[in-house]
Amino acid sequence: MAKAYVFLADGFEDIEALAPVDILRRGGIDVKTVSINATDMVASAHGVQVKADMMFADADFSDADLLMLPGGMPGAKNLDEHEGVRTALVRHAEQQKLIGAICAAPMVLGHLGLLRGKRATCYPGFETELEGATYTAEPCTADGNIITGKGPGASFAYAYRLLEEFKGADVVEELKKGMMYGGEF
């Protein structure tokens, strides 16, 4: 079973973190939320308290198939300033493993040089932080081992695209039908 870790920092965007967790778990991916705080409780940008599955210090990302960064402010800034997160992302990228970032969070990848020569999207206004990338303005952009999303409204498209990497388009289409995504209600 594929394994994913979602980094949570105070100020994360609720839907950008939790919609992908939900969709990936429905799709059969083992997803763990990881607090980078001093406690396992993390406050979203909208004041929702979430208890993370684990603390950053207790995690071993060597078994990770996917590392994910939700956006939101100051959540994305907090992720960008966390040396452990930065180190984990670089190691993961060196192995050409999948990395997902949405909204403001692609700036973390840009600051690390992980977007050089790649196409990427992000929340409008953060384009200059995507160092070396070609900004697409698409809701979701996949380029090699990096998948980026534009913002809260793209959370489902982003999550389905991540799931497709592991389970394929047929599984994603079935899940979309079951979740009544993009069809008649």
Side-chain angles (χ1 to χ4, degrees):
M1 177 184 293
K3 190 155 195 174
Y5 293 92
V6 181
F7 297 117
L8 298 180
D10 281 338
F12 72 88
E13 174 59 45
D14 310 53
I15 195 168
E16 294 168 359
L18 299 178
V21 167
D22 178 273
I23 288 168
L24 291 172
R25 285 182 178 171
R26 286 176 192 246
I29 307 300
D30 180 9
V31 181
K32 299 293 183 210
T33 55
V34 181
S35 171
I36 70 161
N37 292 350
T39 171
D40 60 359
M41 294 304 294
V42 187
S44 77
H46 299 101
V48 175
Q49 294 289 321
V50 173
K51 183 177 182 193
D53 296 317
M54 62 188 357
M55 299 296 299
F56 186 88
D58 298 329
D60 173 10
F61 305 110
S62 63
D63 64 345
D65 297 295
L66 166 63
L67 296 180
M68 285 193 300
L69 305 172
M73 289 301 270
K77 183 177 183 289
N78 291 333
L79 292 173
D80 195 30
E81 294 173 351
H82 191 278
E83 277 308 313
V85 168
R86 294 169 61 84
T87 299
L89 289 167
V90 169
R91 285 187 183 143
H92 203 68
E94 286 171 349
Q95 298 173 51
Q96 288 299 303
K97 290 185 174 181
L98 194 61
I99 298 173
I102 188 168
C103 194
M107 76 174 176
V108 179
L109 308 181
H111 294 166
L112 291 170
L114 301 179
L115 297 178
R116 285 193 190 107
K118 294 191 179 283
R119 299 170 63 250
T121 193
C122 65
Y123 193 82
F126 285 87
E127 304 89 347
T128 59
E129 307 297 321
L130 308 182
E131 297 168 21
T134 300
Y135 176 66
T136 66
E138 297 168 338
C140 183
T141 300
D143 191 340
N145 67 316
I146 307 282
I147 297 177
T148 51
K150 192 169 186 176
S155 294
F156 274 59
Y158 164 77
Y160 287 130
R161 183 61 185 86
L162 290 167
L163 181 60
E164 186 176 336
E165 287 293 311
F166 299 105
K167 298 291 184 158
D170 291 343
V171 168
V172 169
E173 286 307 312
E174 283 303 309
L175 186 59
K176 284 179 180 180
K177 286 178 190 172
M179 293 180 72
M180 298 177 15
Y181 178 80
E184 297 286 325
F185 292 90

